[in-house]
């Protein structure tokens, strides 16, 4: 049997090398953590990639050129350099009703409720995600709906004992007795301030939500669990453009859309995909890729969402890759200290949604998400909307707090912290009313 013998001198040498390597790694990491900039005057000068110029340098002047060439290029660039590409393997999805409206009465006045288990099968492996749906009870026509992911489990969105508690991995929270990454009944309804379900159904909309951790648990395990376990190649052969968690969550939203297309009570042509924070990044990527989403709403989505990466203010590409390496594809990590070389910036992610209505929401105290960068990315996406004559974001400066602007490209800066509040929902529903022809008189609002 062989044994490797390290000479005492070479042992010391080896340890010194390891020490020096770890030290430089720690120093680099510390530099990223300590150097958060919040000063507009220290933003490096930057040039954004053009919206209406193809990768080959040709101008884009028609909606046809946009649809056939530029939009496809933008999606491919985001796949390759940022969110990653879903494996080509086909997935069969079964939709099983696990809670129907005829079960016991939901505690939301005016709503019917159902929960569907979406079971994803590929090559004999499965993963499942629960879709909780509330619809207005008295609707005579198919209803428009807000689709969104949630952070802690469907049972945390409403306080309804009939909604099953997720069995998936959840973040620990001592106050809710969540200690071993498994949720508890104490967590029921803990997020309900973010979900005015009664108000949403009263205004004629449905609300559907999925716990994002059902699709892919939000921690870095080298892509071994969630939908990655079903579809991905083993880690050591993983391509550098293989999808990360945000792409997986976005993919799950499209599987919910497949289901809506089969439900007579839901109007699948009027689905708004909405998300907050990391799930706002996800809503943008889902809406950019899947044109069946008729509207996209990104709340406090920040770096990797609506905020321009090149501003490097608040959260940066370097920092987000270090803390959340599993959110993006491996290629994105290379841009931490050279964002100017990214062939994309976040205005192009918004542009890829054109001409569908887009709403970006910021919060005044959410400096980490760079509210100004979110507004500017929206503004810089407007040439794509202008191809349809839909460039209505004429404001050159950000509006003052709590003022909603724009018809096709909506924006507000809510006063307060990183959160989703009734004010945000009011703006989102008012914006959706404009496009989804909601009959306000019938809903008793006018
Ligand atoms: C932060 C992260 C942000 C944002 C946020 C959230 O820690 O740095 O990019 O997404 O989490 O999702 O709540």
């Amino acid at each position: 049997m062989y044994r490797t013998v390290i000479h005492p001198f070479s042992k010391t040498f080896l340890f010194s090398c390891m020490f020096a390597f770890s030290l430089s790694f720690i120093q680099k990491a510390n530099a990223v953590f300590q150097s958060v900039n919040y000063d507009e005057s220290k933003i490096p000068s930057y040039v954004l990639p053009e919206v209406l110029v193809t990768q080959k340098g040709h101008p884009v002047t028609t909606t046809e050129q946009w649809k056939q060439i530029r939009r496809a290029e933008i999606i491919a660039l985001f796949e390759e350099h940022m969110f990653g590409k879903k494996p080509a393997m086909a997935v069969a999805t079964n939709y099983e009703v696990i809670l129907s409206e005829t079960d016991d009465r939901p505690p939301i006045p005016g709503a019917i409720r159902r929960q569907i288990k979406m079971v994803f099968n590929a090559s004999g492996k499965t993963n499942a995600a629960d879709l909780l749906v509330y619809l207005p009870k008295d609707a005579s026509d198919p209803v428009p709906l807000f689709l969104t992911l949630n952070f802690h489990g469907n049972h945390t969105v409403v306080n309804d004992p009939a909604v099953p508690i997720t069995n998936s991995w959840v973040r620990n929270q001592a106050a809710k007795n969540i200690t071993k990454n498994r949720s508890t009944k104490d967590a029921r309804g803990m997020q309900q301030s973010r979900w005015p379900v009664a108000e949403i159904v009263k205004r004629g909309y449905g609300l559907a939500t999925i716990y994002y951790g059902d699709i892919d648990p939000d921690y870095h395990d080298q892509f071994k669990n969630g939908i990655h376990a079903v579809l991905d190649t083993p880690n050591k052969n993983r391509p550098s453009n293989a999808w990360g968690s945000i792409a997986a969550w976005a993919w799950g939203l499209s599987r919910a859309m497949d289901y809506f297309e089969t439900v007579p009570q839901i109007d699948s042509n009027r689905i708004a995909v909405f998300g907050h924070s990391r799930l706002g990044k996800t809503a943008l990527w889902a809406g950019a890729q899947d044109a069946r989403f008729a509207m996209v709403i990104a709340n406090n989505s920040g770096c990797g969402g609506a905020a321009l990466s090149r501003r490097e203010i608040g959260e940066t590409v370097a920092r987000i890759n270090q803390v959340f390496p599993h959110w993006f594809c491996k290629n994105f990590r290379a841009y931490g200290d050279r964002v100017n070389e990214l062939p994309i910036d976040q205005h192009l992610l918004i542009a890829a949604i054109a001409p569908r209505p887009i709403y970006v929401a910021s919060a005044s105290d959410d400096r980490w998400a760079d509210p100004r960068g979110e507004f500017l990315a929206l503004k810089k996406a407007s040439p794509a909307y202008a191809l349809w004559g839909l460039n209505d974001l004429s404001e050159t400066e950000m509006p003052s707090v709590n003022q909603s602007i724009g018809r096709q490209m909506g924006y507000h800066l809510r006063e307060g912290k990183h959160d989703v509040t009734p004010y945000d929902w009011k703006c989102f529903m008012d914006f959706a009313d404009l496009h989804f022809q909601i009959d306000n008189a019938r809903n008793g609002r006018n």
Side-chain angles (χ1 to χ4, degrees):
M1 201 166 107
Y2 294 101
R3 233 180 116 219
T4 313
V5 179
I6 300 178
H7 186 276
F9 168 73
S10 48
K11 222 179 193 173
T12 317
F13 179 70
L14 197 70
F15 284 133
S16 320
C17 286
M18 279 165 61
F19 180 70
F21 177 76
S22 332
L23 199 67
S24 89
F25 179 78
I26 293 169
Q27 278 167 346
K28 259 190 175 168
N30 273 344
V32 169
F33 280 92
Q34 282 162 11
S35 63
V36 180
N37 176 40
Y38 287 116
D39 182 348
E40 285 279 330
S41 71
K42 293 201 176 116
I43 291 177
S45 63
Y46 61 85
V47 179
L48 291 177
E50 294 278 356
V51 176
L52 297 184
V53 179
T54 68
Q55 291 306 101
K56 288 191 178 147
H58 302 309
V60 175
T61 53
T62 66
T63 56
E64 233 13 73
Q65 287 169 336
W66 176 267
K67 285 193 273 185
Q68 302 300 328
I69 307 168
R70 188 57 179 148
R71 178 172 175 270
E73 275 183 355
I74 292 173
I75 299 290
L77 288 168
F78 274 96
E79 272 183 350
E80 183 62 26
H81 299 277
M82 191 171 178
F83 297 116
K85 225 174 148 62
K86 177 198 153 285
M89 199 189 303
V91 186
T93 309
N94 294 328
Y95 298 91
E96 301 162 7
V97 178
I98 53 173
L99 186 63
S100 86
E101 53 267 33
T102 52
D103 289 347
D104 51 335
R105 283 167 63 86
I108 307 284
I112 56 170
R113 167 212 58 201
R114 67 176 73 150
Q115 187 156 300
I116 311 298
K117 191 171 280 300
M118 307 191 289
V119 185
F120 311 120
N121 305 284
S123 310
K125 295 187 209 155
T126 62
N127 177 56
D130 288 353
L131 173 67
L132 176 64
V133 184
Y134 286 91
L135 300 174
K137 201 178 192 164
D138 54 2
S140 48
D141 301 322
V143 295
L145 174 148
F146 293 96
L147 169 65
T148 166
L149 296 167
N150 66 73
F151 278 89
H152 300 277
N154 292 349
H155 62 293
T156 66
V157 168
V158 285
N159 194 351
D160 178 350
V163 175
I165 296 171
T166 182
N167 289 322
S168 301
W169 177 96
V170 291
R171 203 161 287 107
N172 283 337
Q173 282 192 46
K176 299 289 169 195
N177 278 327
I178 304 173
T179 50
K180 292 186 176 142
N181 302 113
R182 287 290 170 271
S183 201
T184 62
K185 62 175 176 18
D186 297 353
R188 284 198 179 287
M190 77 176 182
Q191 289 275 295
Q192 54 186 327
S193 70
R194 290 186 174 179
W195 306 99
V197 187
E199 183 61 20
I200 292 170
V201 293
K202 190 167 151 215
R203 289 190 55 163
Y205 291 95
L207 174 75
T209 185
I210 309 166
Y211 171 47
Y212 80 137
D214 280 358
I215 303 165
D216 188 33
D218 191 2
Y219 64 92
H220 195 24
D221 73 331
Q222 309 294 338
F223 307 101
K224 291 196 191 106
N225 58 19
I227 192 64
H228 290 291
V230 176
L231 295 180
D232 282 28
T233 41
N235 193 43
K236 71 177 169 28
N237 299 322
R238 225 171 174 264
S240 57
N241 67 353
W243 63 342
S245 295
I246 290 180
W249 300 326
W251 175 86
L253 289 166
S254 287
R255 302 295 66 78
M257 177 52 124
D258 299 341
Y259 170 71
F260 300 144
E261 289 182 325
T262 69
V263 180
Q265 296 99 317
I266 297 173
D267 183 353
S268 60
N269 293 316
R270 291 188 293 165
I271 307 289
V273 62
F274 158 69
H276 167 63
S277 205
R278 69 197 67 183
L279 302 179
K281 310 179 206 305
T282 307
L284 287 167
W285 183 223
Q289 294 174 94
D290 190 339
R292 294 176 299 170
F293 291 115
M295 177 180 294
V296 182
I297 303 169
N299 190 66
N300 305 179
S301 59
C303 180
L308 291 174
S309 302
R310 280 168 172 75
R311 280 168 52 82
E312 300 206 271
I313 193 162
E315 188 171 30
T316 59
V317 170
R319 169 75 161 60
I320 206 167
N321 273 308
Q322 210 155 73
V323 181
F324 306 106
H326 58 294
W327 285 1
F328 306 96
C329 74
K330 211 166 160 189
N331 285 341
F332 195 45
R333 296 180 203 166
Y335 293 101
D337 49 8
R338 49 189 187 91
V339 277
N340 281 306
E341 290 172 38
L342 265 170
I344 44 176
D345 209 314
Q346 300 310 104
H347 63 311
L348 294 182
L349 183 61
I350 295 173
I353 295 162
R356 290 166 289 146
I358 167 80
Y359 198 100
V360 170
S362 309
S364 59
D365 297 343
D366 190 16
R367 294 196 307 158
W368 186 238
D370 184 16
R372 190 172 172 72
E374 294 177 324
F375 172 75
L376 287 175
L378 184 67
K379 185 104 197 102
K380 297 286 179 187
S382 55
Y385 283 81
L387 288 174
W388 278 264
L390 291 170
N391 177 12
D392 65 342
L393 197 67
S394 52
E395 285 79 355
T396 42
E397 267 314 307
M398 286 173 81
S400 46
V401 288
N402 299 346
Q403 192 195 330
S404 178
I405 57 168
R407 192 187 160 89
Q408 198 74 14
M409 310 181 78
Y411 179 83
H412 74 245
L413 173 68
R414 175 184 40 78
E415 191 168 16
K417 64 183 175 64
H418 188 74
D419 199 357
V420 192
T421 69
Y423 174 80
D424 295 316
W425 270 107
K426 184 191 172 304
C427 295
F428 304 151
M429 288 191 276
D430 289 350
F431 186 70
D433 283 0
L434 295 174
H435 299 280
F436 291 164
Q437 279 89 41
I438 281 285
D439 184 345
N440 291 320
R442 202 178 62 189
N443 294 331
R445 290 200 309 122
N446 288 336

